[in-house]
Amino acid sequence: MPLLRTFCLAGLLAAGAAPAFAATEGPSYGPELQGFQYPYPVQHFRFQSQGKSLHMGYMDIPASGTANGRSVVLLHGKNFCGATWEGSIKALSDAGYRVIAPDQIGFCTSSKPDSYQYSFQQLAINTHQLLEKLGIQKVTLLGHSTGGMLATRYALLYPEQTEQLALVNPIGLEDWKALGVPYRSVDQWYERELQVSADGIRSYERDTYYAGHWKPEYERWVQMLAGMNKGPGHTQVAWNSALIYDMIFTQPVYYEFKDLQVPTLLLIGTSDTTAIGKDLAPPAVKAKIGHYAVLGKQVAKLIPRATLVEFPGLGHAPQMEEPAQFHKALLQGLDHL
Protein backbone atom coordinates (compact mmCIF):
# COMPACT_ATOMS: atom_id res chain seq x y z
CA MET A 1 0.00 0.00 0.00
CA PRO A 2 1.40 3.48 -0.81
CA LEU A 3 3.16 5.22 2.07
CA LEU A 4 0.88 8.28 1.90
CA ARG A 5 -2.12 6.19 2.80
CA THR A 6 -0.32 4.71 5.78
CA PHE A 7 0.26 8.21 7.15
CA CYS A 8 -3.35 9.24 6.48
CA LEU A 9 -4.62 6.20 8.35
CA ALA A 10 -2.22 6.86 11.22
CA GLY A 11 -3.56 10.42 11.41
CA LEU A 12 -7.11 9.12 11.76
CA LEU A 13 -6.04 6.87 14.60
CA ALA A 14 -4.14 9.67 16.33
CA ALA A 15 -7.19 11.91 16.06
CA GLY A 16 -9.24 9.33 17.92
CA ALA A 17 -11.36 8.22 14.98
CA ALA A 18 -12.83 4.73 15.21
CA PRO A 19 -12.61 3.06 11.78
CA ALA A 20 -14.91 0.14 11.04
CA PHE A 21 -12.14 -2.46 11.16
CA ALA A 22 -11.61 -1.73 14.87
CA ALA A 23 -14.81 -3.59 15.69
CA THR A 24 -14.23 -6.53 18.00
CA GLU A 25 -17.19 -8.71 17.01
CA GLY A 26 -16.46 -11.89 15.11
CA PRO A 27 -13.12 -13.46 14.12
CA SER A 28 -10.12 -11.63 12.70
CA TYR A 29 -8.10 -13.14 9.83
CA GLY A 30 -4.76 -12.36 8.25
CA PRO A 31 -4.37 -10.60 4.87
CA GLU A 32 -4.22 -13.99 3.14
CA LEU A 33 -7.09 -15.37 5.22
CA GLN A 34 -4.74 -16.93 7.74
CA GLY A 35 -6.92 -18.57 10.38
CA PHE A 36 -9.90 -19.30 8.13
CA GLN A 37 -10.60 -22.97 7.44
CA TYR A 38 -10.98 -23.98 3.79
CA PRO A 39 -13.07 -27.06 2.93
CA TYR A 40 -10.15 -28.80 1.15
CA PRO A 41 -6.35 -28.51 1.45
CA VAL A 42 -4.94 -25.27 0.02
CA GLN A 43 -1.78 -25.42 -2.08
CA HIS A 44 0.19 -22.47 -3.45
CA PHE A 45 1.38 -21.81 -6.98
CA ARG A 46 4.44 -19.55 -6.90
CA PHE A 47 5.30 -17.53 -9.98
CA GLN A 48 6.71 -14.24 -11.25
CA SER A 49 4.41 -11.52 -12.55
CA GLN A 50 5.13 -7.85 -13.23
CA GLY A 51 8.55 -8.19 -11.58
CA LYS A 52 7.07 -9.61 -8.38
CA SER A 53 7.22 -12.99 -6.68
CA LEU A 54 3.59 -13.93 -6.10
CA HIS A 55 1.58 -16.96 -5.04
CA MET A 56 -1.93 -18.14 -5.78
CA GLY A 57 -3.74 -20.31 -3.29
CA TYR A 58 -5.79 -23.07 -4.89
CA MET A 59 -7.61 -26.31 -4.14
CA ASP A 60 -7.20 -29.31 -6.44
CA ILE A 61 -9.89 -31.91 -5.79
CA PRO A 62 -9.95 -35.22 -7.68
CA ALA A 63 -13.14 -36.88 -8.84
CA SER A 64 -14.78 -38.74 -6.00
CA GLY A 65 -17.25 -40.45 -8.32
CA THR A 66 -16.35 -42.31 -11.50
CA ALA A 67 -13.85 -40.01 -13.20
CA ASN A 68 -15.04 -38.60 -16.52
CA GLY A 69 -11.62 -37.31 -17.56
CA ARG A 70 -12.72 -33.67 -17.48
CA SER A 71 -11.51 -30.75 -15.37
CA VAL A 72 -13.51 -27.78 -14.15
CA VAL A 73 -11.89 -24.52 -13.02
CA LEU A 74 -14.01 -22.46 -10.62
CA LEU A 75 -13.51 -18.70 -10.78
CA HIS A 76 -14.86 -16.84 -7.73
CA GLY A 77 -16.49 -13.43 -7.55
CA LYS A 78 -15.30 -10.15 -6.04
CA ASN A 79 -16.70 -10.74 -2.54
CA PHE A 80 -16.13 -14.48 -2.66
CA CYS A 81 -13.22 -16.93 -2.37
CA GLY A 82 -12.39 -20.41 -3.59
CA ALA A 83 -13.85 -21.64 -0.29
CA THR A 84 -17.31 -20.30 -1.14
CA TRP A 85 -17.48 -22.86 -3.96
CA GLU A 86 -17.63 -25.63 -1.31
CA GLY A 87 -21.01 -27.02 -2.37
CA SER A 88 -20.22 -26.83 -6.08
CA ILE A 89 -16.87 -28.56 -5.59
CA LYS A 90 -18.59 -31.52 -3.95
CA ALA A 91 -21.33 -31.71 -6.59
CA LEU A 92 -18.83 -31.61 -9.46
CA SER A 93 -16.39 -34.02 -7.84
CA ASP A 94 -19.21 -36.48 -7.10
CA ALA A 95 -20.19 -36.23 -10.78
CA GLY A 96 -16.69 -37.29 -11.88
CA TYR A 97 -14.93 -33.98 -12.52
CA ARG A 98 -11.51 -32.94 -11.31
CA VAL A 99 -12.06 -29.51 -9.74
CA ILE A 100 -9.54 -26.67 -9.49
CA ALA A 101 -10.61 -23.71 -7.34
CA PRO A 102 -8.00 -20.92 -7.26
CA ASP A 103 -7.98 -17.67 -5.36
CA GLN A 104 -6.96 -14.94 -7.77
CA ILE A 105 -4.13 -12.54 -6.95
CA GLY A 106 -5.52 -9.84 -4.66
CA PHE A 107 -8.08 -12.20 -3.10
CA CYS A 108 -8.36 -14.49 -0.09
CA THR A 109 -5.35 -16.87 0.33
CA SER A 110 -3.32 -15.28 -2.49
CA SER A 111 -0.77 -12.46 -2.62
CA LYS A 112 -1.92 -8.87 -2.22
CA PRO A 113 0.90 -6.83 -3.73
CA ASP A 114 1.38 -3.16 -2.84
CA SER A 115 1.24 -2.31 -6.54
CA TYR A 116 -0.11 -4.41 -9.40
CA GLN A 117 -1.56 -3.60 -12.79
CA TYR A 118 -4.81 -5.52 -12.48
CA SER A 119 -6.46 -6.65 -15.68
CA PHE A 120 -8.68 -9.56 -16.57
CA GLN A 121 -6.04 -10.54 -19.14
CA GLN A 122 -3.39 -10.71 -16.42
CA LEU A 123 -5.58 -12.80 -14.11
CA ALA A 124 -6.39 -15.13 -17.02
CA ILE A 125 -2.69 -15.51 -17.80
CA ASN A 126 -1.96 -16.27 -14.14
CA THR A 127 -4.69 -18.93 -14.13
CA HIS A 128 -3.44 -20.44 -17.39
CA GLN A 129 0.06 -20.73 -15.91
CA LEU A 130 -1.37 -22.54 -12.89
CA LEU A 131 -3.18 -25.02 -15.16
CA GLU A 132 -0.01 -25.58 -17.19
CA LYS A 133 1.85 -26.35 -13.98
CA LEU A 134 -0.88 -28.87 -13.08
CA GLY A 135 -0.65 -30.46 -16.54
CA ILE A 136 -4.23 -29.59 -17.50
CA GLN A 137 -4.66 -28.99 -21.24
CA LYS A 138 -8.41 -28.39 -21.60
CA VAL A 139 -10.93 -27.11 -19.08
CA THR A 140 -14.51 -26.23 -18.45
CA LEU A 141 -14.67 -22.80 -16.83
CA LEU A 142 -17.31 -22.02 -14.21
CA GLY A 143 -17.25 -18.31 -13.35
CA HIS A 144 -19.45 -16.52 -10.86
CA SER A 145 -19.99 -12.75 -10.59
CA THR A 146 -16.61 -11.07 -11.29
CA GLY A 147 -15.35 -14.57 -12.02
CA GLY A 148 -17.75 -14.57 -14.95
CA MET A 149 -15.91 -11.60 -16.45
CA LEU A 150 -12.62 -13.42 -15.89
CA ALA A 151 -13.94 -16.67 -17.37
CA THR A 152 -15.12 -14.76 -20.45
CA ARG A 153 -11.70 -13.15 -20.86
CA TYR A 154 -9.97 -16.51 -20.40
CA ALA A 155 -12.14 -18.13 -23.07
CA LEU A 156 -11.36 -15.26 -25.45
CA LEU A 157 -7.63 -15.55 -24.80
CA TYR A 158 -7.48 -19.36 -24.80
CA PRO A 159 -10.33 -20.70 -26.96
CA GLU A 160 -8.40 -23.87 -27.81
CA GLN A 161 -7.96 -24.73 -24.13
CA THR A 162 -11.58 -23.96 -23.19
CA GLU A 163 -14.05 -26.81 -23.73
CA GLN A 164 -17.04 -25.12 -22.18
CA LEU A 165 -17.96 -21.90 -20.42
CA ALA A 166 -20.52 -21.65 -17.63
CA LEU A 167 -21.36 -18.23 -16.20
CA VAL A 168 -23.29 -17.85 -12.94
CA ASN A 169 -24.85 -14.39 -12.58
CA PRO A 170 -21.76 -12.82 -14.14
CA ILE A 171 -21.35 -9.11 -13.71
CA GLY A 172 -20.37 -7.12 -16.76
CA LEU A 173 -23.54 -7.99 -18.69
CA GLU A 174 -23.78 -4.24 -19.26
CA ASP A 175 -21.24 -1.39 -19.39
CA TRP A 176 -22.08 0.77 -16.37
CA LYS A 177 -19.86 3.70 -17.26
CA ALA A 178 -21.37 3.90 -20.75
CA LEU A 179 -24.83 3.91 -19.15
CA GLY A 180 -24.02 6.91 -16.99
CA VAL A 181 -22.72 5.49 -13.69
CA PRO A 182 -20.21 8.03 -12.29
CA TYR A 183 -16.56 7.03 -11.98
CA ARG A 184 -15.19 6.37 -8.51
CA SER A 185 -11.41 6.76 -8.27
CA VAL A 186 -9.10 4.16 -6.76
CA ASP A 187 -8.55 6.47 -3.79
CA GLN A 188 -12.30 6.76 -3.28
CA TRP A 189 -12.71 3.00 -3.51
CA TYR A 190 -9.91 2.62 -0.97
CA GLU A 191 -11.58 4.91 1.55
CA ARG A 192 -14.83 3.04 1.03
CA GLU A 193 -13.21 -0.35 1.51
CA LEU A 194 -11.63 0.76 4.80
CA GLN A 195 -15.17 1.09 6.16
CA VAL A 196 -16.23 -2.50 5.39
CA SER A 197 -17.97 -4.16 8.35
CA ALA A 198 -19.80 -7.39 9.04
CA ASP A 199 -23.13 -5.55 9.36
CA GLY A 200 -22.64 -3.84 6.00
CA ILE A 201 -21.62 -7.06 4.27
CA ARG A 202 -24.56 -8.97 5.75
CA SER A 203 -27.10 -6.35 4.72
CA TYR A 204 -25.78 -6.12 1.16
CA GLU A 205 -25.56 -9.89 0.71
CA ARG A 206 -29.05 -10.48 2.09
CA ASP A 207 -30.58 -7.96 -0.29
CA THR A 208 -28.53 -8.77 -3.39
CA TYR A 209 -27.13 -12.29 -3.18
CA TYR A 210 -30.12 -13.96 -1.56
CA ALA A 211 -33.08 -11.85 -2.78
CA GLY A 212 -33.91 -10.57 0.70
CA HIS A 213 -33.69 -13.96 2.44
CA TRP A 214 -31.18 -15.17 5.01
CA LYS A 215 -30.00 -18.56 6.24
CA PRO A 216 -27.62 -19.19 9.15
CA GLU A 217 -25.11 -20.92 6.85
CA TYR A 218 -24.50 -17.63 5.02
CA GLU A 219 -22.95 -16.07 8.13
CA ARG A 220 -19.69 -17.96 7.67
CA TRP A 221 -19.04 -16.09 4.42
CA VAL A 222 -19.86 -12.73 6.01
CA GLN A 223 -17.30 -13.36 8.75
CA MET A 224 -14.75 -14.57 6.17
CA LEU A 225 -14.79 -11.17 4.46
CA ALA A 226 -15.25 -9.06 7.57
CA GLY A 227 -12.48 -10.91 9.40
CA MET A 228 -9.99 -10.26 6.60
CA ASN A 229 -11.05 -6.62 6.33
CA LYS A 230 -10.49 -5.91 10.02
CA GLY A 231 -7.43 -8.11 10.52
CA PRO A 232 -3.77 -7.08 10.76
CA GLY A 233 -3.51 -6.60 6.99
CA HIS A 234 -6.73 -4.62 6.55
CA THR A 235 -5.10 -1.71 4.68
CA GLN A 236 -3.39 -4.11 2.28
CA VAL A 237 -6.69 -5.91 1.70
CA ALA A 238 -8.57 -2.63 1.16
CA TRP A 239 -5.98 -1.26 -1.29
CA ASN A 240 -6.04 -4.38 -3.47
CA SER A 241 -9.82 -4.40 -3.33
CA ALA A 242 -9.87 -0.80 -4.59
CA LEU A 243 -7.58 -1.67 -7.52
CA ILE A 244 -9.81 -4.63 -8.40
CA TYR A 245 -13.00 -2.55 -8.33
CA ASP A 246 -11.35 -0.12 -10.74
CA MET A 247 -10.49 -3.04 -13.04
CA ILE A 248 -14.09 -4.29 -12.97
CA PHE A 249 -15.56 -0.87 -13.76
CA THR A 250 -13.12 0.17 -16.48
CA GLN A 251 -12.54 -3.13 -18.34
CA PRO A 252 -15.90 -4.33 -19.70
CA VAL A 253 -16.18 -7.64 -21.52
CA TYR A 254 -19.71 -6.82 -22.70
CA TYR A 255 -18.65 -5.81 -26.20
CA GLU A 256 -16.85 -9.12 -26.79
CA PHE A 257 -19.56 -11.61 -25.86
CA LYS A 258 -20.26 -11.85 -29.59
CA ASP A 259 -16.71 -13.18 -30.11
CA LEU A 260 -16.98 -16.19 -27.80
CA GLN A 261 -16.37 -19.40 -29.73
CA VAL A 262 -17.14 -21.98 -27.04
CA PRO A 263 -20.46 -23.46 -25.87
CA THR A 264 -21.66 -21.21 -23.05
CA LEU A 265 -24.14 -21.93 -20.28
CA LEU A 266 -25.72 -18.85 -18.65
CA LEU A 267 -27.11 -19.61 -15.18
CA ILE A 268 -29.09 -16.59 -14.00
CA GLY A 269 -30.89 -15.85 -10.75
CA THR A 270 -33.50 -13.41 -12.05
CA SER A 271 -33.90 -11.36 -8.84
CA ASP A 272 -30.26 -10.24 -8.90
CA THR A 273 -29.79 -6.45 -8.95
CA THR A 274 -25.99 -6.20 -8.89
CA ALA A 275 -24.44 -3.21 -10.66
CA ILE A 276 -21.03 -1.77 -9.75
CA GLY A 277 -21.29 1.88 -8.71
CA LYS A 278 -25.06 1.74 -8.46
CA ASP A 279 -24.94 3.63 -5.16
CA LEU A 280 -23.42 6.65 -6.98
CA ALA A 281 -25.77 6.59 -9.94
CA PRO A 282 -28.46 9.25 -10.38
CA PRO A 283 -32.02 7.92 -9.99
CA ALA A 284 -32.72 7.65 -13.72
CA VAL A 285 -29.56 5.60 -14.27
CA LYS A 286 -30.05 3.50 -11.15
CA ALA A 287 -33.52 2.55 -12.34
CA LYS A 288 -32.27 1.01 -15.59
CA ILE A 289 -29.22 -1.01 -14.48
CA GLY A 290 -28.78 -4.35 -12.73
CA HIS A 291 -31.93 -6.10 -14.02
CA TYR A 292 -30.77 -9.68 -14.48
CA ALA A 293 -34.19 -10.92 -15.58
CA VAL A 294 -33.61 -8.77 -18.67
CA LEU A 295 -29.80 -8.92 -18.93
CA GLY A 296 -29.60 -12.72 -19.04
CA LYS A 297 -31.90 -12.88 -22.06
CA GLN A 298 -30.11 -10.04 -23.82
CA VAL A 299 -26.63 -11.54 -23.41
CA ALA A 300 -27.84 -15.02 -24.38
CA LYS A 301 -28.65 -13.50 -27.78
CA LEU A 302 -25.17 -11.96 -28.06
CA ILE A 303 -23.20 -15.16 -27.36
CA PRO A 304 -23.24 -17.37 -30.49
CA ARG A 305 -23.51 -20.75 -28.71
CA ALA A 306 -25.36 -19.80 -25.53
CA THR A 307 -27.87 -21.76 -23.47
CA LEU A 308 -29.81 -19.76 -20.87
CA VAL A 309 -31.07 -21.32 -17.64
CA GLU A 310 -33.01 -19.00 -15.35
CA PHE A 311 -33.76 -19.41 -11.63
CA PRO A 312 -36.87 -17.29 -11.02
CA GLY A 313 -36.80 -15.45 -7.70
CA LEU A 314 -33.17 -16.26 -6.86
CA GLY A 315 -30.48 -13.65 -6.40
CA HIS A 316 -26.81 -13.16 -7.24
CA ALA A 317 -25.59 -16.47 -5.80
CA PRO A 318 -28.05 -19.23 -6.80
CA GLN A 319 -25.39 -21.89 -6.19
CA MET A 320 -25.46 -20.93 -2.49
CA GLU A 321 -29.12 -19.92 -2.17
CA GLU A 322 -30.64 -23.11 -3.63
CA PRO A 323 -27.69 -25.49 -4.17
CA ALA A 324 -29.66 -28.64 -5.05
CA GLN A 325 -31.69 -26.87 -7.73
CA PHE A 326 -28.63 -25.08 -9.07
CA HIS A 327 -26.32 -28.09 -9.25
CA LYS A 328 -28.92 -30.23 -10.98
CA ALA A 329 -29.23 -27.56 -13.68
CA LEU A 330 -25.45 -27.09 -13.87
CA LEU A 331 -24.64 -30.77 -14.35
CA GLN A 332 -27.41 -31.22 -16.89
CA GLY A 333 -26.24 -28.12 -18.73
CA LEU A 334 -22.61 -29.21 -18.86
CA ASP A 335 -23.64 -32.62 -20.20
CA HIS A 336 -25.62 -31.08 -23.04
CA LEU A 337 -23.37 -28.23 -24.14
Side-chain angles (χ1 to χ4, degrees):
M1 183 193 68
L3 187 59
L4 174 62
R5 291 176 180 79
T6 304
F7 289 144
C8 289
L9 186 61
L12 283 173
L13 294 173
F21 58 77
T24 57
E25 63 166 294
S28 175
Y29 300 120
E32 295 175 8
L33 261 184
Q34 292 93 336
F36 182 83
Q37 184 64 46
Y38 266 48
Y40 300 91
V42 176
Q43 304 178 61
H44 286 93
F45 169 53
R46 303 183 186 279
F47 65 106
Q48 295 288 317
S49 176
Q50 300 182 18
K52 302 179 185 300
S53 297
L54 303 175
H55 60 265
M56 289 176 66
Y58 69 94
M59 295 176 286
D60 184 355
I61 302 94
S64 60
T66 302
N68 61 18
R70 300 166 64 187
S71 299
V72 179
V73 177
L74 309 184
L75 301 175
H76 60 76
K78 170 64 181 68
N79 294 321
F80 299 80
C81 296
T84 53
W85 283 115
E86 182 174 6
S88 298
I89 292 172
K90 184 179 187 308
L92 288 161
S93 175
D94 288 349
Y97 291 89
R98 177 183 180 181
V99 184
I100 313 298
D103 286 332
Q104 297 298 321
I105 295 301
F107 294 85
C108 312
T109 64
S110 296
S111 298
K112 295 172 184 65
D114 288 341
S115 61
Y116 199 63
Q117 182 60 53
Y118 278 102
S119 70
F120 286 110
Q121 286 89 340
Q122 181 66 72
L123 298 184
I125 290 167
N126 296 348
T127 303
H128 188 256
Q129 290 177 344
L130 167 64
L131 297 178
E132 283 188 323
K133 182 240 183 187
L134 296 176
I136 299 174
Q137 302 300 318
K138 286 185 177 288
V139 295
T140 289
L141 298 172
L142 176 59
H144 171 234
S145 190
T146 298
M149 295 183 77
L150 174 55
T152 300
R153 180 59 59 198
Y154 188 104
L156 290 166
L157 279 177
Y158 304 107
E160 298 302 319
Q161 284 78 43
T162 307
E163 289 184 324
Q164 299 173 314
L165 187 60
L167 306 177
V168 186
N169 282 74
I171 60 172
L173 299 184
E174 54 192 342
D175 182 353
W176 308 290
K177 68 182 189 303
L179 293 171
V181 175
Y183 178 72
R184 180 184 262 133
S185 71
V186 172
D187 290 323
Q188 289 171 323
W189 276 117
Y190 175 66
E191 294 302 324
R192 179 181 182 270
E193 290 302 283
L194 285 175
Q195 305 307 314
V196 166
S197 69
D199 286 345
I201 293 169
R202 189 181 303 109
S203 177
Y204 176 78
E205 292 191 354
R206 181 185 61 245
D207 294 343
T208 306
Y209 295 174
Y210 311 116
H213 305 116
W214 192 256
K215 298 177 183 177
E217 55 263 35
Y218 301 156
E219 185 65 23
R220 181 184 177 207
W221 311 122
V222 170
Q223 296 302 329
M224 175 188 72
L225 290 179
M228 189 167 52
N229 279 280
K230 72 181 179 186
H234 54 265
T235 55
Q236 189 179 1
V237 171
W239 180 245
N240 276 265
S241 182
L243 294 174
I244 291 164
Y245 270 123
D246 189 71
M247 171 187 73
I248 295 168
F249 190 80
T250 62
Q251 298 179 28
V253 296
Y254 172 77
Y255 305 102
E256 294 165 89
F257 284 130
K258 62 181 175 54
D259 301 322
L260 285 169
Q261 302 174 27
V262 301
T264 301
L265 181 65
L266 278 171
L267 299 148
I268 303 294
T270 62
S271 292
D272 191 1
T273 58
T274 303
I276 300 300
K278 189 174 182 179
D279 57 315
L280 292 180
V285 174
K286 187 178 296 186
K288 68 181 181 182
I289 59 176
H291 298 294
Y292 273 73
V294 175
L295 292 171
K297 294 180 179 69
Q298 289 178 345
V299 171
K301 294 178 182 178
L302 296 176
I303 298 173
R305 302 170 65 186
T307 300
L308 174 64
V309 177
E310 293 184 316
F311 301 99
L314 298 189
H316 188 61
Q319 76 278 21
M320 300 162 73
E321 192 176 0
E322 293 291 345
Q325 179 185 355
F326 173 84
H327 292 124
K328 180 180 179 180
L330 171 66
L331 294 172
Q332 288 178 346
L334 293 181
D335 281 343
H336 290 95
L337 282 183

